[in-house]
Amino acid sequence: MTVKDPMSDIDLPVQQTSQRARFAGSLRAADAGRRFKLAGWVHRRRDLGGLYFVDLRDRGGLLQVSFGPEWSPPEVLARAGDLGAEDVIAVSGEVCLKPEANPELPSGEVELRAESLEVLTDSTTPAIPVYRGPEEDLPSEEMRLRHRVLDLRRPELRDNLLLRHRLVLETRNRLDALGFMEVETPMLTKPTPEGARDYLVPSRVHPGEFYALPQSPQIYKQLLMAAGFDRYFQIARCFRDEDLRADRQPEFTQIDVEASFVEPEDILGWMEELMAGLAEVAGVSAPRPFPVMTHAEAMDRFGTDRPDMRWDLEITDWSEALADSESGILRGALDAGGRLRGILLPGGGALSRKQIEAVEAVAKAQGAPGLLWMKGNPDGASGPLSRFTSPEHQARIGLTDGDLVLLAAGTDRQISWALGAARLEVIRLLDLPMDRETAWLWVVDFPVFEDDPERGGLAPNHHPFVMPNMDDFHLLDSDPLAVRGKAYDLVYNGSELGSGSIRNHDADLQRELLARLGLSDEEIDRKFGFLLEALRSGAPPHGGIALGMDRIVKEFAGAQSLRDVIAFPKTTAARALFEGAPSPVGPDDLADLHLEVIDEGAE
């Protein structure tokens, strides 16, 4: 027998056990007149002067349980009056229709009239409330993470994790139907540079040597292709020791996919089919095919490689329109090989000077030297940019009464990201209506390399194993930053959900690209020798993608943070507050691992 889960249209087993007959939240009007034994937590108790109402909560949702003198024995009624929040109870009785239904609850048409009550566990007073009234704010996130077991009882988090479960299940089913085979790869592996710092694990039996926790299964899935597995996937745990942000966790989960004898269109087609299936489970719109945009076009039009296409507002190149300006700032930027680009905001004149300064601060934080602005008024333009432009210039730009123009001058590397950030900030400040509710996008043809500001030289834009576009091979020596790779990202509502590429299956070319990243022959052999050996053994052309499961659930659930879709997340300081990790290790354990903790503050 199955019942409808209140959080979705998916049928669930009844979950009958020796201590309960059903999920409490699964009861409906059709169950009226039947008798059940239920168990769960006291979500809320109301005392109406000898008549008690308890909202009983379990994974299936909430059900009202009533205790009254007409149907509850005196000892049961007395015990109900002593119930506290989060007590674990078992109740038995008859399901009855409510005189007045609660439309906000799937079980809101019925209640259980309790004839017996057993307190299975007396709860201490909860450190944070699980039940909140409509006007009550959540406790601070630090408090909620410190008391995560209580926080996980909130229906919102339960729903998020139920959605996550269904998306993982759908992923496995969809990829299996497409011929992909799930293979687990090692968690203790070899340290390799993949863009972030490794978490290192000391070896007890090999003094002075370390394993690394995988940043991704990247190399292993390439080895599986060389081994002939053809199509692989894994719901993979990954680890990166990096400075955290709101959308980052030191350990995360990705849908890892790799296939042989493919080009980008194969991976994109399969992933669209997968994402359409996941979106259907979550009730999210995913019309196919997803639009495709090159990396260069995305940076030019939206100032980011993950543009939020829910708004049509774009960055415009005004270099030609303002080429004859007498402004030294504008002319200097053009003469130095830069461009004059900006955003025309219809109705943006409503922004105050203080708000415009806030937008400029956002742009400067992304590397722009500043923003020039002007407003369109009935009697002419105003603002700093108006002093450098004539009415003819302003007409070329398209400025009209009530508009705002924001302009940045410089090279694309100086101003693209800044204008992209400014675009999102003005959308937020003006609360611009969306042109569409959801926006999917493939961004393709990413550069193979980018500048490495810390070390100098080149760094991989994605990772070191991307196959360069054959049309750009001639630029490897003269202009390596212009070399495009067969790399692609999946973007949803301005959030990067996944990143992938066709891999380099030629061992000699792979060695050359690693050398261009500054690795010596000795480093290449030490860090990647086993991969090069596998490629030389006869590796097929192959490629794949890694989709961020945490981020997919966050976006589909409409959660505010990745921590709201992970059962036991870390803080932005990479601490697990409930468990108290990381924690010191005793001297005997350190000695077994041949380690010593050095007090940096000691003399």
Side-chain angles (χ1 to χ4, degrees):
M1 179 180 177
T2 60
V3 293
K4 290 290 184 184
D5 186 315
M7 269 66 71
S8 77
D9 291 330
I10 298 176
D11 290 335
L12 276 182
V14 167
Q15 299 293 332
Q16 182 174 1
T17 69
S18 58
Q19 292 194 5
R20 68 174 179 198
R22 288 266 291 271
F23 277 141
S26 71
L27 298 183
R28 301 291 185 266
D31 296 307
R34 301 178 64 189
R35 308 180 70 81
F36 289 102
K37 180 179 181 181
L38 306 174
W41 285 259
V42 174
H43 188 65
R44 181 170 63 139
R45 185 181 68 87
R46 288 156 288 157
D47 182 351
L48 274 63
L51 184 65
Y52 303 103
F53 293 97
V54 168
D55 289 338
L56 184 67
R57 186 189 71 245
D58 61 15
R59 203 190 90 180
L62 296 172
L63 175 73
Q64 179 173 290
V65 178
S66 60
F67 298 84
E70 297 181 13
W71 56 85
S72 302
E75 66 276 11
V76 171
L77 199 60
R79 201 174 302 132
D82 293 331
L83 291 175
E86 300 308 304
D87 285 347
V88 183
I89 63 173
V91 293
S92 297
E94 182 181 352
V95 178
C96 299
L97 293 173
K98 287 183 182 177
E100 186 173 337
N102 179 357
E104 296 183 3
L105 282 181
S107 64
E109 293 182 284
V110 296
E111 65 179 10
L112 183 83
R113 294 190 172 180
E115 299 168 5
S116 70
L117 166 64
E118 181 182 1
V119 178
L120 302 175
T121 305
D122 277 313
S123 170
T124 57
T125 301
I128 59 172
V130 177
Y131 167 78
R132 289 183 302 118
E135 304 301 323
E136 295 180 69
D137 293 330
L138 280 171
S140 69
E141 185 178 52
E142 182 176 356
M143 281 290 290
R144 288 185 281 119
L145 291 176
R146 169 64 186 84
H147 302 282
R148 188 61 169 179
V149 167
L150 292 172
D151 196 38
L152 283 170
R153 294 177 185 176
R154 284 193 292 123
E156 305 97 289
L157 294 194
R158 175 204 60 202
D159 292 357
N160 289 348
L161 292 177
L162 279 171
L163 175 62
R164 184 184 182 115
H165 159 72
R166 295 196 181 97
L167 294 178
V168 169
L169 183 63
E170 181 71 11
T171 296
R172 285 194 161 98
N173 291 336
R174 289 268 174 169
L175 290 176
D176 175 68
L178 289 169
F180 286 84
M181 174 181 176
E182 185 167 14
V183 182
E184 295 177 345
T185 55
M187 299 294 282
L188 295 175
T189 184
K190 183 183 180 68
T192 56
E194 288 192 38
R197 188 179 292 108
D198 287 323
Y199 277 103
L200 298 178
V201 181
S203 170
R204 179 183 59 82
V205 296
H206 301 289
E209 297 183 342
F210 294 81
Y211 300 102
L213 300 181
Q215 295 185 36
S216 78
Q218 177 62 49
I219 293 180
Y220 283 109
K221 62 184 180 183
Q222 292 191 247
L223 297 179
L224 287 170
M225 295 304 101
F229 279 78
D230 195 76
R231 295 186 191 183
Y232 139 96
F233 85 95
Q234 183 180 185
I235 309 297
R237 296 293 286 167
C238 306
F239 306 85
R240 292 184 181 178
D241 184 8
E242 57 187 348
D243 295 334
L244 302 182
R245 301 195 299 264
D247 62 344
R248 294 274 179 91
Q249 283 282 296
E251 52 182 321
F252 55 96
T253 304
Q254 65 187 33
I255 305 169
D256 206 49
V257 175
E258 197 80 3
S260 297
F261 307 107
V262 294
E263 289 292 344
E265 55 266 26
D266 299 305
I267 303 296
L268 270 56
W270 287 327
M271 292 306 102
E272 284 192 16
E273 186 171 339
L274 171 62
M275 294 309 300
L278 299 187
E280 183 179 358
V281 169
V284 170
S285 174
R288 299 172 61 193
F290 298 167
V292 178
M293 183 181 296
T294 67
H295 175 269
E297 183 182 358
M299 296 300 298
D300 195 58
R301 293 171 57 190
F302 300 100
T304 177
D305 56 14
R306 50 183 185 276
D308 194 334
M309 305 290 290
R310 288 176 293 178
W311 291 271
D312 289 334
L313 182 67
E314 295 191 21
I315 298 166
T316 305
D317 185 351
W318 291 317
S319 301
E320 185 176 344
L322 301 178
D324 57 352
S325 168
E326 297 180 359
S327 163
I329 295 175
L330 303 186
R331 286 293 334 153
L334 291 173
D335 292 343
R339 292 198 286 170
L340 310 179
R341 299 163 63 206
I343 302 168
L344 173 64
L345 280 162
L351 291 180
S352 66
R353 181 183 292 269
K354 184 176 181 180
Q355 288 174 312
I356 294 173
E357 289 173 353
V359 175
E360 184 176 25
V362 168
K364 286 182 176 179
Q366 293 294 326
L371 290 178
L372 292 171
W373 62 272
M374 64 178 169
K375 293 182 179 182
N377 303 307
D379 54 351
S382 63
L385 185 58
S386 67
R387 298 196 295 270
F388 306 137
T389 56
S390 66
E392 183 180 352
H393 290 132
Q394 294 156 17
R396 292 176 195 166
I397 289 176
L399 182 71
T400 59
D401 183 22
D403 295 346
L404 172 69
V405 164
L406 300 171
L407 181 141
T411 65
D412 289 348
R413 290 176 189 169
Q414 290 175 313
I415 66 176
S416 286
W417 287 102
L419 286 171
R423 172 182 179 265
L424 293 179
E425 183 65 8
V426 295
I427 286 172
R428 185 187 70 81
L429 289 173
L430 289 171
D431 194 21
L432 294 181
M434 290 186 289
D435 296 294
R436 57 199 60 85
E437 289 294 322
T438 59
W440 297 84
L441 180 69
W442 285 109
V443 179
V444 302
D445 293 344
F446 276 76
V448 172
F449 303 110
E450 63 185 16
D451 284 317
D452 188 335
E454 294 184 4
R455 295 188 305 111
L458 300 175
N461 183 279
H462 266 56
H463 55 64
F465 315 110
V466 173
M467 173 65 80
N469 188 310
M470 296 298 178
D471 293 338
D472 294 345
F473 261 61
H474 66 286
L475 299 172
L476 277 172
D477 291 320
S478 60
D479 191 5
L481 292 176
V483 176
R484 295 166 298 163
K486 292 186 176 183
Y488 34 81
D489 279 5
L490 177 60
V491 180
Y492 171 77
N493 291 354
S495 178
E496 177 198 315
L497 295 188
S499 181
S501 70
I502 301 301
R503 322 303 183 188
N504 190 343
H505 65 279
D506 182 290
D508 293 335
L509 179 57
Q510 183 64 72
R511 176 178 284 274
E512 179 184 347
L513 295 178
L514 290 170
R516 290 177 183 272
L517 294 172
L519 276 70
S520 66
D521 283 341
E522 187 275 331
E523 287 178 305
I524 293 171
D525 289 333
R526 176 165 49 86
K527 295 178 179 179
F528 300 105
F530 65 105
L531 172 63
L532 298 180
E533 179 184 344
L535 296 182
R536 288 193 193 93
S537 70
H542 59 279
I545 193 168
L547 298 162
M549 177 55 78
D550 308 307
R551 196 162 295 176
I552 290 170
V553 181
K554 172 184 176 290
E555 292 297 325
F556 284 2
Q560 295 300 307
S561 166
L562 282 181
R563 291 182 286 277
D564 288 338
V565 300
I566 299 171
F568 296 99
K570 306 294 189 292
T571 67
T572 51
R575 287 197 173 274
L577 297 184
F578 186 81
E579 311 95 304
S583 59
V585 175
D588 291 343
D589 293 326
L590 288 173
D592 286 343
L593 295 170
H594 316 283
L595 295 177
E596 181 181 356
V597 175
I598 299 174
D599 184 358
E600 294 183 350
E603 291 291 335

